[in-house]
Amino acid sequence: MKTLMNYIDGTFVPAQSGDTIEDINPATGMVIAHIPRSTKADVELAAASAKSAQADWNALTLDQRADWLDAIADALQAKHEAIAQAESLDTGKPISLARRVDATRSVDNFRFFADFARKQQPLTFEMSDAMNFVERNGLGVVGLITPWNLPLYLMSWKVAPALLMGNSIVAKPSEMTPLTANILAETLDELNLPRGVFNLVHGLGPEVGQGILEHPLINGISFTGGTATGRIVAATAAPMFKKLSLELGGKNATIVLEDADLDQAVQGAVKAAFTNSGQVCLCGSRIMVHASIADEFIKRFVGEVAAMRIGEPSDEATQIGTVISMDHLEKVEFYINLAIEEGGTILTGGTRSMMGGVGPTPEGAYLAPTVIGGLSHLSRCATEEIFGPVVTVHTFDRLAEVTEMANATDYGLAGSIWTQDVEVGKALAKTIETGIVWINTWLHRDLRTPFGGVKHSGVGREGGQWSLGFFSETTNICVMNPRELGD
Ligand code: TXE
């Protein structure tokens, strides 16, 4: 049983209140750690420390901060297995996924931004009689608030560019997945990162999270999480003119055109649907397949899904672990039952009640990957975010229908299109209201590209230049050419 601490002003400390929250292992229902139940009082200490550290940190050169990011990447790489084990324990995701995705990408995020920084050129704009120099400085103190599905992957995605651009940080992980944020704090402490540059506060969103949103010393908020919470973030921070980046929910379409390579499309659709038990905002939770190939596609897709191995997260062979918690399992089951009420048919999977004990232990939040047919693309299950191992399958006859079907949701984050005619795929992609469309692949990521969504999937983009831009303020310095001064 671990007792985690906040990391404030270079020191590990409990919440001032002394109160704690239990961190539960979703595969066993057992308490694996206690974390500080921080409040605004703890945010006050963290923000003050961050404020005092920020000017010196910002005064370093971009290259010096890039060197820090490389040192962090090296140190996290040395803890790759520990990060993967902790992430799997905290989230219930298969250890193979935690290694391949969570731990690896957490290291890569720091490495990428270090390398990306070194490729930056000074930003100047020449006029006939003057030269413009664009200076970039940190926002100051930034608040980073992250969710439970990809804990360190998403926290490092924000911490790396925030540090790089000269900001100091008050970070808050989800109260359901604190372990790897703690590993990050320990690592930065071991590296002797100047105290106050990175602060970590644990606790409940409406308490310590809200405290971050409200704190006057915090100039920018980068938030990843649910759309409902995103609304609270915006409502709180916008009137204070804080800079905001919101990465919210998704309800993404996997579109299979009649000329698709069926084997490739089936494998891609399964990966998009059930990676991390569907708990990735980019997951393809609505499958739209051309009527002419629907029977064959659905037969193969359902066969692959039914054969997926549900097991202990620690088992190397496990493909489907648990969802994040019993509460979330019940939320997902609600949608499966609603689908049945809406006239849907369970093609494979379903709720625990339909199949009895699904996973290796009844205490575990296990749910079989579930495929639902027979629903309108306008049904609640096909338009609302479920964020679990559940997909709906729909058919279309004409390409012209697909755009309307794919856009018939309040979300607009991502999508994938499977076709052997890339030009048709690209033309269709341009009609889909999302921030990202993959063609004949899914979750293939170039970290230089803009990441984010539209509509209820968020505001802003992060990645490459977009991250550097979000985590900095520009000052344009315009200098008249000396010879002009004589006029
Ligand atoms: O989100 P929450 P969760 C979405 C996905 C899913 C949800 C699940 O749609 O529905 O997030 O993640 C903190 N003031 N995405 O449950 O509740 C909370 O403590 C300040 C999409 O974690 O929004 C946690 O640290 N903070 C995403 C964080 O917000 C508050 C990828 C997120 O919590 C708060 C992952 C408040 N009032 C999940 N209330 C994507 N687009 O990439 C809560 N929090």
Side-chain angles (χ1 to χ4, degrees), residues 145-205:
I145 300 176
T146 45
W148 47 255
N149 62 324
L150 295 159
L152 192 55
Y153 172 126
L154 290 172
M155 179 171 280
S156 57
W157 180 238
K158 299 174 187 299
V159 169
L163 291 178
L164 180 68
M165 299 315 286
N167 300 280
S168 54
I169 292 169
V170 178
K172 187 203 104 54
S174 172
E175 54 277 24
M176 292 192 272
T177 53
L179 298 182
T180 49
N182 192 62
I183 292 176
L184 177 61
E186 288 173 343
T187 303
L188 300 179
D189 189 60
E190 289 155 11
L191 291 171
N192 296 314
L193 186 74
R195 68 197 187 108
V197 169
F198 177 84
N199 299 275
L200 184 68
V201 286
H202 291 282
L204 299 175

Side-chain angles (χ1 to χ4, degrees), residues 219-243:
N219 296 338
I221 303 284
S222 177
F223 171 81
T224 296
T227 293
T229 309
R231 277 200 188 89
I232 295 170
V233 175
T236 307
M240 301 174 77
F241 300 107
K242 292 178 192 266
K243 204 168 179 183

Side-chain angles (χ1 to χ4, degrees), residues 58-113:
N58 186 62
L60 296 180
T61 66
L62 196 65
D63 280 349
Q64 286 172 316
R65 294 194 294 262
D67 291 345
W68 270 104
L69 264 54
D70 267 335
I72 297 167
D74 293 343
L76 291 177
Q77 181 58 44
K79 299 179 180 180
H80 186 277
E81 182 59 16
I83 291 167
Q85 293 289 344
E87 216 68 297
S88 179
L89 189 66
D90 233 351
T91 62
K93 70 176 70 187
I95 184 62
S96 61
L97 181 69
R99 288 187 182 119
R100 187 177 75 250
V101 173
D102 298 74
T104 301
R105 178 64 189 278
S106 298
V107 174
D108 289 351
N109 284 340
F110 285 98
R111 189 80 69 206
F112 164 75
F113 280 107

Side-chain angles (χ1 to χ4, degrees), residues 238-451:
M240 301 174 77
F241 300 107
K242 292 178 192 266
K243 204 168 179 183
L244 272 185
S245 172
L246 300 175
E247 300 287 353
L248 307 178
K251 188 68 177 185
N252 311 305
T254 296
I255 301 165
V256 183
L257 301 187
E258 62 184 317
D259 72 334
D261 172 320
L262 266 193
D263 286 338
Q264 186 191 57
V266 167
Q267 293 307 320
V270 169
K271 182 182 171 194
F274 299 110
T275 294
N276 206 34
S277 282
Q279 299 168 126
V280 179
C281 52
L282 298 164
C283 276
S285 51
R286 298 180 289 152
I287 298 173
M288 301 164 185
V289 54
H290 191 274
S292 65
I293 56 167
D295 289 349
E296 182 59 21
F297 174 88
I298 291 170
K299 181 161 74 69
R300 292 193 204 182
F301 178 74
V302 169
E304 290 283 330
V305 174
M308 292 186 85
R309 185 182 169 113
I310 305 169
E312 304 260 357
S314 57
D315 182 336
E316 308 280 342
T318 292
Q319 293 174 294
I320 295 280
T322 71
V323 295
I324 186 64
S325 67
M326 277 301 186
D327 286 351
H328 190 60
L329 175 57
E330 285 160 17
K331 171 194 165 189
V332 176
E333 286 185 322
F334 164 80
Y335 275 102
I336 297 173
N337 295 325
L338 176 65
I340 296 167
E341 287 169 26
E342 289 186 307
T345 304
I346 305 292
L347 303 179
T348 184
T351 71
R352 286 171 297 177
S353 57
M354 286 172 72
M355 304 173 301
V358 170
T361 59
E363 305 80 22
Y366 293 96
L367 184 60
T370 300
V371 181
I372 300 169
L375 283 180
S376 159
H377 68 278
L378 299 173
S379 65
R380 284 188 60 190
C381 286
T383 53
E384 296 176 19
E385 182 181 54
I386 299 172
F387 214 62
V390 179
V391 300
T392 55
V393 186
H394 314 273
T395 62
F396 62 90
D397 296 306
R398 290 177 301 107
L399 196 54
E401 295 172 52
V402 172
T403 298
E404 182 275 326
M405 292 172 72
N407 292 335
T409 172
D410 288 337
Y411 294 96
L413 185 57
S416 63
I417 298 169
W418 301 84
T419 174
Q420 296 186 69
D421 185 333
V422 173
E423 290 315 310
V424 167
K426 282 164 68 175
L428 176 60
K430 290 173 184 171
T431 71
I432 310 294
E433 295 164 354
T434 58
I436 304 155
V437 180
W438 282 286
I439 297 177
N440 297 328
T441 186
W442 178 75
L443 202 61
H444 192 43
R445 291 277 290 114
D446 180 330
L447 304 187
R448 296 170 298 176
T449 58
F451 179 97

